[in-house]
Amino acid sequence: MIELPVELPAELVPLSWLLGVWEGSGVIDYAVGEASVTHEFGQRVSFSHDGLPHLNYTSYSWLFPTEEGGEPIPLVTETGYWRLSRALGEADAGPAMLPGVGDRPFRDAESVETLRNAAGGFDIEVNLVHPGGVAELYLGQVKGPRIDLATDAVLRTQGAKPYSAATRLYGLVDSHLLWAWDIAALGQDLRTHSSGRLAKVE
């Protein structure tokens, strides 16, 4: 059973099953030409909120040691924001630090229901930033305990490694957060990259 925080903005209820800290493991399996990169990794993911109508997201991953008694090897981090997709109005803060004017919209379940799409889910936007010079904008939908995402845009700095597109899938199965991530990178077409299974620890 999912308990909703009292102060949770109504817009976040469709994403509320993500809230908390999740930890577990997964597998990287990515083919680059004739070679294949395969590793097991650990991961800790956090979804939180600060009273605003978006979820804050952080992820930290590490490779498991290849030798007994070895130390885990830090792998990657990413951070970002998840929210329902809708046009922002005068009552929403921004751009920059400009405060909103008037009452914030979508403050109750009835008004949030008007955002439901034709498929019965809610369109969402996810912005993710990687320290290696890559920023991703995903569009997709949340429908019950399942999220499907695909990149709408990928920005890279001049020194970033080639990375052009991705899809991600998240689902709540038997109280575990399962995910799969396909990428188009290093000159490859979109293909399987990694997946994981996480349990809620906080």
Side-chain angles (χ1 to χ4, degrees):
M1 180 184 215
I2 298 173
E3 292 186 20
L4 300 180
V6 174
E7 72 280 9
L8 185 72
E11 281 184 69
L12 294 184
V13 170
L15 295 167
S16 60
W17 55 273
L18 291 169
L19 284 168
V21 177
W22 305 80
E23 192 167 307
S25 62
V27 175
I28 302 162
D29 189 4
Y30 190 63
V32 181
E34 299 299 318
S36 181
V37 178
T38 304
H39 287 285
E40 291 186 43
F41 65 89
Q43 184 184 37
R44 186 176 178 89
V45 168
S46 171
F47 288 94
S48 63
H49 81 94
D50 48 21
L52 295 170
H54 62 261
L55 292 182
N56 303 307
Y57 166 85
T58 60
S59 170
Y60 170 68
S61 301
W62 60 92
L63 294 177
F64 290 135
T66 55
E67 299 176 5
E68 190 170 334
E71 293 293 320
I73 302 167
L75 181 58
V76 295
T77 62
E78 55 183 9
T79 188
Y81 304 95
W82 298 52
R83 73 179 190 97
L84 295 192
S85 182
R86 66 168 178 82
L88 300 181
E90 288 187 359
D92 294 294
M97 293 188 67
L98 296 175
V101 178
D103 291 335
R104 193 182 294 166
F106 304 102
R107 299 175 63 182
D108 56 40
E110 185 177 350
S111 59
V112 171
E113 279 297 312
T114 66
L115 297 173
R116 201 176 282 276
N117 61 30
F122 294 90
D123 295 328
I124 62 173
E125 300 174 9
V126 175
N127 297 284
L128 298 180
V129 178
H130 307 260
V134 172
E136 301 172 277
L137 169 62
Y138 286 91
L139 301 180
Q141 94 164 345
V142 55
K143 187 174 182 181
R146 178 186 168 119
I147 294 172
D148 293 274
L149 299 170
T151 48
D152 183 59
V154 175
L155 299 176
R156 293 185 294 119
T157 61
Q158 185 174 2
K161 291 184 176 182
Y163 180 92
S164 57
T167 62
R168 300 195 191 206
L169 168 67
Y170 295 82
L172 188 63
V173 180
D174 295 330
S175 300
H176 285 76
L177 180 61
L178 276 59
W179 62 263
W181 184 6
D182 294 353
I183 63 172
L186 304 177
Q188 309 296 304
D189 295 331
L190 189 70
R191 62 186 60 188
T192 300
H193 162 56
S194 58
S195 60
R197 181 182 180 94
L198 312 176
K200 186 175 282 191
V201 294
E202 293 179 28

